[in-house]
Amino acid sequence: MKRAGQKVVAGTEAPGTSQTSKKQKTSLHGSGFGESDPCTSMDWGSLPHHVILRVFQFLTLVDRARASSVCRRWNEVFHIPDLWRRFEFELSQPATSYLKSTHPDLIQQIIKRHADHLQYVSFKVDSSTESAEAACDILSQLVNCSIKTLGLISTAKPSFMNVSKAHFASALTVVFVNSKSLSSIKIDDTPLDDPSLKVLVANNSDTLKLLKMSSCPHVSPAGILCVADQCHGLKELALNYYILSDELLLALSSEKHVDLEHLRIDVVSENPGQVQFHTIKKQSWDALVKHSPKVNIVMYFFLYEDEFDAFFREETPVTHLYFGRAVSKAMLGRIGMNCPRLIELVVCANGLQPLDAELIQIAERCKNLTAMGLGECEVTCRGFIEFVKMCGGRLTQLSIMEEVLIPDSDYSLDRLHLEVSKHLGRMWFPDMMPTW
């Protein structure tokens, strides 16, 4: 009985003597009613900097700014350089744009405290001249910058083209002179000129690898040659067709240090029938490919049907072709005959003439073709299956609108997808037109 009594006493002492510890345990695990949640009582300001920094990296700029007002420690993290290496300035006029503009106070804070931290910077502006001028004003103040990537993006024309050339050149000069480490620049549809390019290469010749400047009417072939001559690491170049010439291609081919990987050419016409396009000789193309055998030559066409006469009459080493407007059967026939290096072909529109023969010829002669896209065109199911059969499994991308395919006596659309899938070695369906 004594042992039993001792057991009872021992059993009753524990609850009586451990009320404090029980409360501590309840508070620690948050399992007691009426006890405070540890998440609400935790001192969030005591989190390590690297943890707070990681949280901030997942937040949008607006949420990050709000979070910075939690406490002094979070505000300190808000200004850590790692958070300001990449930034996109959005500049727009409320009456004419759907873009949400970056707040002016934030812009001034970035200029004052983080200009020397910025490395990857883009400016997205609407069509208004005021927004483009505001972008130039910001560029003019980045005197302590060390930018590696710069992009000027217009969501609609005219934007930068309406800014005075002097104002634009002055703003770019600040960045070109002070950065000295620019590797990637995208400045399409801007008043960029040859003197600005000379400033660029004089200060960034050892680092520049990518230069996109399509639709820059103040740039001449001489400006391009200056870039090619000075920038030994240049790998990607994008320009407008009006700058392209036999002399330029031969010059690019004669520079031993130039080894282009991508050459993008935009062929654009704003007014139908008013532009006469020159022809590039086969020997000039051959010289470029011989010099840089792995170069991808990408051409974007935005022409009207009667403006294609100068193109693809001789063998052309283009690898990627995109037609943004209607292109004739005859033009597609030339592509099948004279583009043996073709890898990708996208045709947005053609008309109501079946393209069976043209596609089959492309499949026969373009042995590297791996991607095809067809929009407002017509192809019979029989012809399309023959095209796919000839290309086989090398077609890694095949985007064809259902409206393009014309059922015939041999194949319905239901049977078509099974037959195409068999030759591709994977399940395939035509694309459907959105119903909204």
Side-chain angles (χ1 to χ4, degrees), residues 32-89:
F33 292 106
E35 301 295 340
S36 61
D37 189 332
C39 292
T40 58
S41 61
M42 182 182 292
D43 182 7
W44 291 95
S46 65
L47 288 173
H49 267 59
H50 72 276
V51 174
I52 305 172
L53 178 63
R54 185 63 174 161
V55 172
F56 274 32
Q57 288 173 336
F58 285 99
L59 299 179
T60 63
L61 178 63
V62 173
D63 290 337
R64 193 185 299 170
R66 289 170 178 164
S68 69
S69 63
V70 168
C71 62
R72 182 179 298 175
R73 188 178 183 85
W74 283 42
N75 188 263
E76 291 173 358
V77 175
F78 180 66
H79 293 289
I80 287 178
D82 283 355
L83 287 175
W84 300 99
R85 289 177 180 169
R86 186 182 303 272
F87 193 83
E88 180 178 76
F89 294 91

Side-chain angles (χ1 to χ4, degrees), residues 87-89 120-124 139 147 149-154 160 182 184-188:
F87 193 83
E88 180 178 76
F89 294 91
Y120 308 95
V121 182
S122 61
F123 291 81
K124 183 183 288 185
L139 285 169
I147 296 173
T149 297
L150 174 65
L152 304 183
I153 304 165
S154 300
F160 286 103
L182 281 163
S184 177
I185 306 175
K186 183 181 185 298
I187 40 182
D188 297 337

Side-chain angles (χ1 to χ4, degrees), residues 249-250 252-256 258-260 282-297 315 317 341:
L249 287 178
L250 292 172
L252 290 172
S253 305
S254 64
E255 295 283 1
K256 293 182 179 180
V258 174
D259 187 18
L260 286 180
K282 179 179 182 299
Q283 297 92 316
S284 305
W285 287 118
D286 289 345
L288 178 66
V289 174
K290 183 178 180 180
H291 181 269
S292 303
K294 295 183 179 180
V295 64
N296 286 311
I297 300 174
E315 188 171 298
R341 295 179 79 236

Side-chain angles (χ1 to χ4, degrees), residues 350-365:
N350 166 261
L352 301 178
Q353 298 175 303
L355 302 176
D356 298 22
E358 289 74 21
L359 289 185
I360 290 170
Q361 182 173 261
I362 288 171
E364 285 177 340
R365 299 180 64 90

